[in-house]
Amino acid sequence: MYEVQYDVAAMIVTFSVAVHFFYKKTVNTRMTFVLTALIYLSLASSVFDLITVYTIEHTKEVPVWLNYALNEIYLLMFNAITPVYYMYVIYLNKKTSRMPLHDRLQILIPYAVDTGLILSTPFTHCVFYLDGQRAYRYGNGMAVLYAVSLLYIWASFVRTVQSAKLLHKGQRIISYCYTLACMVAVVMQMVTDRLLIVQFAIAIAVLLIYLSLENPEDYANKLVGAYNDHAFVEMLSMHMRKRRKFTVIGIRIHGLKYITETLGVTSWNQLLKQIAEFLQQTCGKKRVFYLSGSQFAVITASTASANAVIKKIQKRFLTPFQAEDAGISLSVPMCMLSYPDNVKNVDDVLDAIEYFNVAANIGASAGVVYANEETLKNVGRDFQIIQILRRAVAHKQFDVWYQPIYSVEKKRFTSAEALVRLSDEEYGVISPEEFIPLAEKNGMILEIGMYVFREVCSFIKTHQIWEYGIETIDVNLSVVQCMQEKLYETLLAIMDEYGLDYHYISLEITETAAIVSRETLEQNMHQLTSRGMRFFLDDYGTGFSNTATIIEYPFHTIKMDKTIVWSAMENTKAMHALKYSMAMIKAMQMNVIAEGVETQEQADLLETMGCDFFQGYLYSKPVNGADFLRTLGKSLVYA
Ligand code: C2E
Ligand code: CA
Ligand code: CA
């Protein structure tokens, strides 16, 4: 008699997994396809195992051909389980690339041998046969089937070990347990063929794999009720593997950020849910992905369908969404890109979406950015620089350089401007003109600004730079920093930390900062000037150069931008502008620094106009701290 209790248990377990899987089923990736095959194969083979146990025990009542047929079906299914698991392990390790031919052959050839043996059995009695008494007997071929199974299990184990680094700990443990369990079970079955334990071992293994290796919930964001970024990446790579054209719409919901601040997190979730539902109704559940924050993505089949979807989305967002009984108007900047026209791989898609979203964030426009050569040109470089910035911020990899400023009156350097430097192994030195605007868009400028400020404090203190005749170091403040209400507290605290007198640092701000952050800036300026710090207006002569700005704010010094200094040499109109601006500023009792002084001719002209300070390559380029001190040493000797 066979002991079927384990088989029954196996059936119940795999059946439960199958039902659960059926209802939870998520994105159709290659992995889920193989897992589906594994689950259904295990279920079917445990059912057929039970059936054949019956037919084997009742051979007399069952027609011989039927007995053979059922046993063969069972064996074909049962022996397919280990190769399918092997396939699963291979996929697990290589998520995106196509499976190479030798892997395919490894999966197929041993199973082809099994199939040949099983199918020829009615004629050769190779694997099993019914003897004269119609009793079920094993043939020699059965040993081959066992050997092949062990081979697959062993191969799966080796693959897992080889690529252990790619799997997380849970996955590794499960893989090892699975291998061990299957080996023990196969060996036990070989020894005591009355105890049908293999099916149970497989059922448990499938359950474990289902629970830990391939958890469908990994692909969904429960709060929002949509597929998540993992699913998005899977879908993209699947389409790309199949060389299937598609168009992605990147959607950023603008205005949500303020919801958390005013209405709380619950409302934020409610809104995201509503938006997800709307997108799912419009495009189909399987096409909508919630990436993170306030970003969604939709995958459509063509640009035409993408355009249709975009129209519907824009129309929907004309009417407010509901949260906490309040109607909330949101805007939706979107971007659209197509494979293979605009993007070549998954990373391209993610980079482009992130880049366009950042761009949309600045513009806060509700328009659509279409990926084309023009718009994509900057994606690569800007995105790379943002990554470099992230790293540099995390590891504090910025340098602060100093450009000495020459005093006409004292005929030596009396101050210097601190200028931040970023260098990267691959990109070389990246100009602040390029990375500061990116850092401002990403909010990283706050950390960079604080880092520079600290470096300057530490530099002043360590080298006691007043000993070198330096009265103050000028630090640039970004517009974003000027918008910080507590900026003054932070700066004062840092200077206190270094035990530094406040007048050793002056702050340079641009006119934009004054326009964008009026009251906050006024407050900050008031707090800091009352303690002896000085404010300089940077880049005067570019932008608006609004006289009201210099009247209204307590600037100590105005910095003439290098462009106006240069054009004064070439063009009389500009010369007059410079001359009279300078006279006006002097009359208002403020100092003037001229930037970009490159020739003696410029210096002479500026001196006749009454300029107080010169900064430019004629005197020194920005240099690192050590070189700066060296330059100062010499300058003191000559003075
Ligand atoms: P900026 O504040 O106008 O700084 C002066 C820029 O003019 C510096 O460029 C300096 O190297 C350059 N310069 C000075 N003299 C000459 C000259 O004679 N000829 C020429 N051709 N150029 C000269 P840099 O260092 O590339 O900085 C560019 C901009 O980046 C700065 O313009 C400033 O707006 C920003 N920046 C630099 N460091 C910081 C920082 O720590 N924080 C913030 N927020 N912005 C910074
Ligand atoms: Ca400056
Ligand atoms: Ca400037």
Side-chain angles (χ1 to χ4, degrees), residues 312-542:
K312 285 182 196 159
I313 295 174
Q314 284 174 330
K315 187 161 170 240
R316 171 63 189 89
F317 276 77
L318 291 176
T319 40
F321 285 82
Q322 289 297 319
E324 307 274 327
D325 293 333
I328 292 166
S329 298
L330 300 165
S331 67
V332 265
M334 286 178 270
C335 64
M336 186 173 122
L337 34 104
S338 301
Y339 172 84
D341 299 341
N342 310 132
V343 285
K344 298 279 171 272
N345 54 46
V346 175
D347 285 343
D348 280 358
V349 179
L350 300 178
D351 288 0
I353 291 183
E354 165 132 9
Y355 175 79
F356 287 131
N357 276 331
V358 169
N361 211 10
I362 321 149
S365 75
V368 181
V369 185
Y370 295 93
N372 53 38
E373 249 180 70
E374 180 71 25
T375 50
L376 282 169
K377 208 170 57 194
N378 294 324
V379 172
R381 184 173 169 94
D382 280 10
F383 191 78
Q384 287 300 323
I385 291 178
I386 291 172
Q387 302 297 94
I388 294 168
L389 274 174
R390 291 226 164 93
R391 265 198 311 260
V393 167
H395 300 106
K396 303 207 185 321
Q397 277 162 344
F398 295 94
D399 289 315
V400 179
W401 283 28
Y402 298 89
Q403 186 176 30
I405 296 173
Y406 180 83
S407 156
V408 176
E409 187 199 335
K410 298 191 176 158
K411 298 201 166 26
R412 61 173 173 84
F413 296 131
T414 51
S415 64
E417 178 174 5
L419 293 158
V420 66
R421 292 290 177 265
L422 170 63
S423 52
D424 177 73
E425 277 175 17
E426 191 185 331
Y427 280 74
V429 177
I430 303 164
S431 161
E433 310 248 29
E434 186 171 14
F435 76 78
I436 296 278
L438 290 174
E440 284 176 334
K441 286 164 204 162
N442 278 274
M444 284 187 273
I445 190 67
L446 291 176
E447 282 179 76
I448 299 174
M450 283 311 127
Y451 174 75
V452 171
F453 194 80
R454 274 180 179 283
E455 279 295 301
V456 171
C457 288
S458 144
F459 185 78
I460 296 175
K461 193 72 189 176
T462 321
H463 300 288
Q464 316 240 315
I465 58 143
W466 50 87
E467 308 259 312
Y468 293 83
I470 295 295
E471 292 156 16
T472 183
I473 301 272
D474 310 340
V475 176
N476 290 286
L477 286 188
S478 144
V479 182
V480 183
Q481 287 175 282
C482 296
M483 286 155 63
Q484 304 295 304
E485 257 177 52
K486 300 285 177 210
L487 176 73
Y488 71 93
E489 282 184 1
T490 320
L491 297 185
L492 293 173
I494 296 175
M495 286 186 285
D496 288 343
E497 198 183 303
Y498 287 90
L500 202 67
D501 285 348
Y502 301 144
H503 62 83
Y504 281 123
I505 294 185
S506 303
L507 299 170
E508 294 191 5
I509 61 174
T510 60
E511 198 172 15
T512 322
I515 295 166
V516 173
S517 50
R518 284 208 104 69
E519 276 150 36
T520 322
L521 179 65
E522 259 167 32
Q523 165 78 356
N524 279 316
M525 273 180 108
H526 170 73
Q527 292 289 342
L528 294 169
T529 47
S530 68
R531 290 175 170 88
M533 281 182 94
R534 291 163 175 176
F535 275 82
F536 294 6
L537 182 65
D538 207 353
D539 296 348
Y540 192 81
T542 65

Side-chain angles (χ1 to χ4, degrees), residues 79-337:
N79 286 289
I81 292 175
T82 46
V84 170
Y85 176 71
Y86 184 47
M87 182 159 36
Y88 183 80
V89 170
I90 293 177
Y91 277 142
L92 195 63
N93 301 334
K94 296 197 214 339
K95 285 218 160 117
T96 44
S97 59
R98 266 172 76 83
M99 189 180 288
L101 183 67
H102 61 89
D103 282 344
R104 288 161 191 253
L105 292 179
Q106 275 182 26
I107 296 169
L108 281 177
I109 291 175
Y111 185 66
V113 173
D114 280 0
T115 311
L117 290 180
I118 296 167
L119 290 182
S120 63
T121 285
F123 317 105
T124 59
H125 293 186
C126 167
V127 177
F128 67 91
Y129 57 95
L130 298 177
D131 65 11
Q133 273 74 49
R134 279 211 190 180
Y136 181 88
R137 298 261 177 252
Y138 286 155
N140 294 332
M142 190 59 94
V144 178
L145 297 190
Y146 279 127
V148 168
S149 288
L150 286 173
L151 192 71
Y152 278 122
I153 296 171
W154 176 248
S156 311
F157 179 70
V158 171
R159 287 272 176 161
T160 314
V161 173
Q162 276 172 352
S163 49
K165 274 195 209 114
L166 294 172
L167 306 176
H168 51 73
K169 203 172 159 202
Q171 289 181 320
R172 262 189 324 248
I173 294 174
I174 297 287
S175 305
Y176 296 151
C177 291
Y178 172 86
T179 314
L180 200 71
C182 286
M183 289 220 173
V184 170
V186 170
V187 172
M188 273 176 75
Q189 180 105 52
M190 282 165 79
V191 180
T192 69
D193 57 18
R194 301 277 97 181
L195 186 67
L196 299 171
I197 194 140
V198 177
Q199 285 296 338
F200 187 65
I202 290 171
I204 295 297
V206 167
L207 177 67
L208 289 179
I209 295 171
Y210 174 69
L211 288 180
S212 65
L213 292 193
E214 185 77 4
N215 189 348
E217 275 154 31
D218 286 351
Y219 287 127
N221 184 306
K222 270 199 196 143
L223 284 175
V224 179
Y227 292 131
N228 64 13
D229 49 338
H230 294 300
F232 184 57
V233 168
E234 279 292 343
M235 285 316 274
L236 291 178
S237 33
M238 192 189 73
H239 285 312
M240 288 178 178
R241 250 187 340 260
K242 296 190 173 165
R243 312 236 174 274
R244 217 187 262 155
K245 287 187 174 183
F246 63 87
T247 298
V248 173
I249 310 171
I251 303 165
R252 185 185 183 88
I253 316 294
H254 206 87
L256 270 181
K257 225 169 70 191
Y258 312 103
I259 306 292
T260 9
E261 284 157 21
T262 48
L263 295 175
V265 184
T266 330
S267 312
W268 150 282
N269 284 334
Q270 271 178 17
L271 280 169
L272 281 179
K273 231 185 195 141
Q274 283 176 47
I275 293 165
E277 268 167 24
F278 159 73
L279 290 174
Q280 287 165 343
Q281 279 161 14
T282 316
C283 324
K285 208 171 158 75
K286 293 201 167 158
R287 296 185 174 279
V288 178
F289 303 86
Y290 171 65
L291 301 186
S292 67
S294 46
Q295 293 183 44
F296 286 88
V298 171
I299 301 182
T300 61
S302 65
T303 44
S305 50
N307 276 319
V309 168
I310 286 176
K311 283 219 180 71
K312 285 182 196 159
I313 295 174
Q314 284 174 330
K315 187 161 170 240
R316 171 63 189 89
F317 276 77
L318 291 176
T319 40
F321 285 82
Q322 289 297 319
E324 307 274 327
D325 293 333
I328 292 166
S329 298
L330 300 165
S331 67
V332 265
M334 286 178 270
C335 64
M336 186 173 122
L337 34 104

